[in-house]
């Protein structure tokens, strides 16, 4: 049963109800915004994971190139060894000179491959170091996300308790309103974005701020 009172009393109750509804809307907005705060942390984690994936792919590519250089290097070393063994079998100076030239070219190619392999090994080491840096960054981002989720969960639980308390306060406030007046308040509030009643302050409407 809603208790009836003087018009002034009923208006005070209406104002109290409007204040409760304002707080409930504000609480609902805060609750809606909580998941949005996670987006930046989730994006940071996703970016860190993507960097790790890209860095790992670069390392694997370098390692494949390194193995290819090592195979080519071994093949050239074997080719030079075979060519050197032929030097004992030649019978003319021309043939001997040709073999020496072939060995010289082979050694030059061998030095080039060794330099390229060394440079690639150094680059791969740098990539591994960069991977460890990205790995630490990903760990930090994950930790920040976990902490933020925990904080938001606590805030959500606090908001839920506050909402429950405000809903109970609303129920008690509505109990002090006449049924027709409450029905009219609901209709007006639905038409004006939740504002069912406003108080004049120095001749200015506190709802629309017009005189």
């Amino acid at each position: 049963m809603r208790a009836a009172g003087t018009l002034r009393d009923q208006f005070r109750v209406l104002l109290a109800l409007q204040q409760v509804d304002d707080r409930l809307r504000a609480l609902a907005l805060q609750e809606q915004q909580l998941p949005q705060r996670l987006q930046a942390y989730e994006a940071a984690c996703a970016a860190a994971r993507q960097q790790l994936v890209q860095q790992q792919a670069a390392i694997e590519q370098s390692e494949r190139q390194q193995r290819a250089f090592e195979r080519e290097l071994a093949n050239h070393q074997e080719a030079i060894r075979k060519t050197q063994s032929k030097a004992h079998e030649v019978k003319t100076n021309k043939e001997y000179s040709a073999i020496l030239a072939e060995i010289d070219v082979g050694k030059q190619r061998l030095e080039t491959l060794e330099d390229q392999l060394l440079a690639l090994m150094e680059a791969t080491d740098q990539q591994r170091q960069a991977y460890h840096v990205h790995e630490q960054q990903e760990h930090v981002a994950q930790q920040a996300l976990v902490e933020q989720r925990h904080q938001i969960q606590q805030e959500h639980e606090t908001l839920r308790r506050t909402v429950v308390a405000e809903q109970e306060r609303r129920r008690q406030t509505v109990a002090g309103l006449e049924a027709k007046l409450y029905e009219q308040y609901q209709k007006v509030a639905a038409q004006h974005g939740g504002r069912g009643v406003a108080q004049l302050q120095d001749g200015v409407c506190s709802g629309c701020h017009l005189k």
Side-chain angles (χ1 to χ4, degrees), residues 33-50:
Q33 291 174 341
L34 285 180
Q36 297 176 4
R37 285 167 47 187
L38 279 179
Q39 292 178 357
Y41 292 88
E42 291 171 341
C45 284
R49 283 194 296 270
Q50 182 62 25

